[in-house]
């Protein structure tokens, strides 16, 4: 590997430091190949129900053996694959293959798609990694869930938003099973009362009921049926089932409707309530019509707030999200997924107004330019 230092003589760029920096960056990008972790594109706002769960798993299993040798060769030289992790730790890729979640399906499907475009779900995509229906999230989860996956990791509450058919929940449960003090909850809208959506009901069938442990999770009050974009439901579930000193809320994963406003709601409601040092994971941050505004308008504001100082009066810095900025430690992204990490500030209980996204959350606000 190569390390390149950018900097040095302040005279570069005719005395203009920003110009000199930009020239250095462009020169660097022009001369160095960059390896980027990539993942896939999800195609629908409401999760695709045209293919049954069994069919999806069958397709994945058919391709696993065909791509295994290719994966082994790649793993021998790659430092990003989950298989490079210490074997004494759980591996999210292997677990995800067992449960059938699409969170790890990218590595399985991509080799066949590269060799034959007929094996691609979206052959028109310019980015090859967006041509298949599967993600590469295992590298991120192996890193960020590992601290909670050991026998001595301690009490913690985990919340998944978007149970769907439960393959993701099963993967998280298997990954964290070595921690006896981990309690996993999930939310799902499809298990509410059946009926017209205009009446606050669900007309498209109960996806969650197909899960083998559906009744058990309901009876144990670990699966909560409701709209995760509705403040009343969120607060009631939080107060009744999740707010506990015995097992602090340390991980929240948004993998629900993939609507930009819903994703923003998860950020504003849950981030202040997550315990210090915990994480919020938002999946499917993609250039799709439903989710694109989160990518364009929410993520850039959070990143700007992350670097806020407020010490140079000439810059007239503005905070974009006052309820989020004081709690941010870091933002880590791979393609289509980001981790928002909490700092050491105590969690707190925001008001209703503070728990919901501001009205201009999906617009290009003035704060971005100051």
């Amino acid at each position: 590997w190569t390390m390149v230092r950018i900097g040095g003589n302040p005279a570069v760029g005719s005395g203009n430091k920003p110009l000199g920096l930009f020239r250095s960056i462009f020169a660097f990008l022009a001369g160095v190949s960059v390896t980027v972790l990539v993942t896939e594109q999800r195609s629908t706002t409401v999760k695709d129900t045209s293919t049954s769960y069994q069919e999806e798993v069958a397709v994945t299993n058919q391709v696993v053996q065909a791509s295994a040798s290719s994966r082994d060769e790649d793993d021998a030289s790659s430092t990003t694959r989950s298989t490079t992790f210490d074997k004494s730790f759980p591996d999210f890729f292997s677990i995800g293959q067992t449960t059938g979640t699409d969170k790890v399906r990218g590595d399985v499907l991509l080799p066949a798609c590269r060799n034959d475009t007929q094996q691609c779900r979206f052959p028109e995509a310019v980015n090859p990694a967006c041509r298949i229906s599967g993600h590469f999230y295992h590298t991120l989860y192996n890193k960020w869930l590992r601290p909670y996956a050991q026998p001595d990791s301690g009490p913690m509450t985990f919340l998944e938003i978007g149970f769907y058919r439960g393959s993701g929940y099963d993967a998280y449960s298997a990954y964290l099973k070595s921690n006896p003090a981990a309690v996993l909850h999930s939310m799902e809208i499809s298990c509410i009362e059946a009926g017209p959506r205009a009446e606050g009901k669900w007309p498209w069938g109960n996806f969650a009921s197909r899960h083998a442990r559906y009744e058990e999770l309901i009876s144990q009050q670990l699966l909560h049926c409701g709209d995760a974009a509705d403040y009343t439901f969120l607060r009631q579930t939080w107060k009744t089932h999740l707010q506990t000193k015995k097992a602090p809320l340390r991980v929240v994963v948004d993998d629900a409707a993939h609507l930009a406003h819903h994703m923003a709601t998860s950020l504003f409601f849950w981030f202040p309530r997550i315990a210090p040092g915990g994480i919020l994971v938002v999946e499917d941050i993609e250039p799709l019509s439903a989710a694109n505004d989160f990518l364009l308008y929410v993520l850039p504001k959070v990143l700007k707030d992350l670097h806020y100082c407020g010490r140079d009066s000439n810059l007239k810095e503005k905070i974009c999200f006052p309820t989020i900025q004081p709690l941010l430690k870091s933002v880590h992204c791979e393609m289509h997924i980001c981790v928002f990490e909490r700092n050491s500030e105590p969690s707190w209980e925001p008001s209703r107004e503070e728990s919901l996204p501001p009205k201009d959350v999906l617009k290009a606000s003035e704060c971005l330019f100051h």
Side-chain angles (χ1 to χ4, degrees):
W1 59 280
T2 303
M3 180 176 73
V4 178
R5 179 178 184 271
I6 299 176
N9 188 348
V12 173
S14 301
N16 187 322
K17 292 183 181 180
L19 179 58
L21 176 60
F22 283 128
R23 285 178 176 172
S24 298
I25 292 174
F26 283 121
F28 171 72
L29 293 177
V32 179
S33 18
V34 180
T35 301
V36 182
L37 292 171
V38 292
T39 183
E40 68 83 55
Q41 177 188 43
R42 181 167 298 196
S43 63
T44 56
T45 299
V46 177
K47 294 188 177 181
D48 185 5
T49 59
S50 62
T51 305
S52 71
Y53 171 71
Q54 291 79 8
E55 290 173 332
E56 291 176 354
V57 174
V59 170
T60 298
N61 290 338
Q62 289 173 9
V63 184
V64 167
Q65 291 185 344
S67 63
S69 59
S70 175
R71 285 193 66 253
D72 290 342
E73 291 175 2
D74 290 344
D75 288 342
S77 59
S78 173
T79 59
T80 61
R81 293 218 188 267
S82 62
T83 50
T84 62
F85 282 96
D86 188 330
K87 297 299 183 181
S88 64
F89 292 97
D91 174 36
F92 199 85
F93 181 84
S94 301
I95 291 171
Q97 281 186 292
T98 302
T99 68
T101 177
D102 67 348
K103 300 177 192 298
V104 306
R105 201 175 295 164
D107 257 351
V108 175
L109 299 179
L110 186 57
C113 172
R114 287 184 180 275
N115 293 330
D116 181 3
T117 57
Q118 291 187 350
Q119 301 297 319
C120 305
R121 184 172 182 180
F122 309 103
E124 71 280 3
V126 176
N127 185 338
C130 295
R131 295 173 188 164
I132 45 98
S133 180
H135 300 289
F136 303 81
Y137 295 163
H138 50 286
T139 53
L140 183 141
Y141 280 124
N142 271 330
K143 175 180 179 179
W144 289 96
L145 292 186
R146 178 189 286 188
Y148 306 104
Q150 307 310 308
D152 59 351
S153 294
M156 60 93 71
T157 294
F158 178 107
L159 172 63
E160 173 197 48
I161 303 172
F163 183 85
Y164 192 41
R165 293 169 176 164
S167 59
Y169 182 86
D170 287 347
Y172 299 130
S173 299
Y175 192 90
L176 298 171
K177 70 177 182 179
S178 295
N179 180 358
V183 181
L184 283 79
H185 293 257
S186 188
M187 293 179 170
E188 174 59 33
I189 191 173
S190 73
C191 53
I192 64 175
E193 182 182 357
R197 194 72 193 101
E199 298 178 9
K201 302 175 183 179
W202 187 257
W204 296 291
N206 185 346
F207 309 133
S209 64
R210 305 183 189 187
H211 192 271
R213 295 180 58 208
Y214 173 70
E215 297 294 343
E216 175 189 345
L217 294 173
I218 291 288
S219 64
Q220 292 180 348
Q221 296 183 325
L222 296 175
L223 177 58
H224 313 283
C225 300
D227 184 350
D230 178 71
Y231 172 79
T232 301
F233 167 71
L234 291 177
R235 190 173 188 278
Q236 180 181 3
T237 305
W238 161 245
K239 287 292 186 180
T240 306
H241 304 292
L242 301 174
Q243 189 180 29
T244 169
K245 293 182 179 179
K246 293 182 179 180
L249 180 63
R250 300 196 184 280
V251 180
V252 176
V253 177
D254 182 292
D255 182 25
H258 314 321
L259 296 170
H261 195 271
H262 289 196
M263 296 155 81
T265 298
S266 292
L267 172 65
F268 278 85
F269 186 90
W270 291 111
F271 200 67
R273 293 171 169 85
I274 295 174
I279 59 173
L280 168 69
V281 182
V282 180
E283 297 186 3
D284 299 279
I285 304 177
E286 304 185 44
L288 301 172
S289 58
N292 198 47
D293 283 351
F294 188 91
L295 172 64
L296 291 180
Y297 302 118
V298 180
L299 186 56
K301 294 174 187 176
V302 176
L303 290 173
K304 182 177 184 296
D305 281 352
L306 175 64
H307 299 286
Y308 173 81
C309 284
R311 67 186 176 206
D312 189 339
S313 59
N314 293 323
L315 294 178
K316 299 180 180 179
E317 287 182 275
K318 291 185 178 180
I319 297 176
C320 294
F321 298 141
T323 59
I324 303 299
Q325 184 274 330
L327 306 175
L328 274 171
K329 179 179 180 180
S330 68
V331 179
H332 297 258
C333 296
E334 295 184 18
M335 191 174 173
H336 300 165
I337 184 171
C338 288
V339 173
F340 302 85
E341 185 183 16
R342 283 278 277 105
N343 59 21
S344 59
E345 290 295 316
S347 56
W348 61 292
E349 188 66 26
S351 66
R352 178 189 179 97
E353 181 181 1
E354 293 167 325
S355 296
L356 296 174
K359 293 181 179 180
D360 64 347
V361 69
L362 300 181
K363 296 181 180 179
S365 304
E366 183 183 359
C367 70
L368 280 173
F369 309 104
H370 293 279

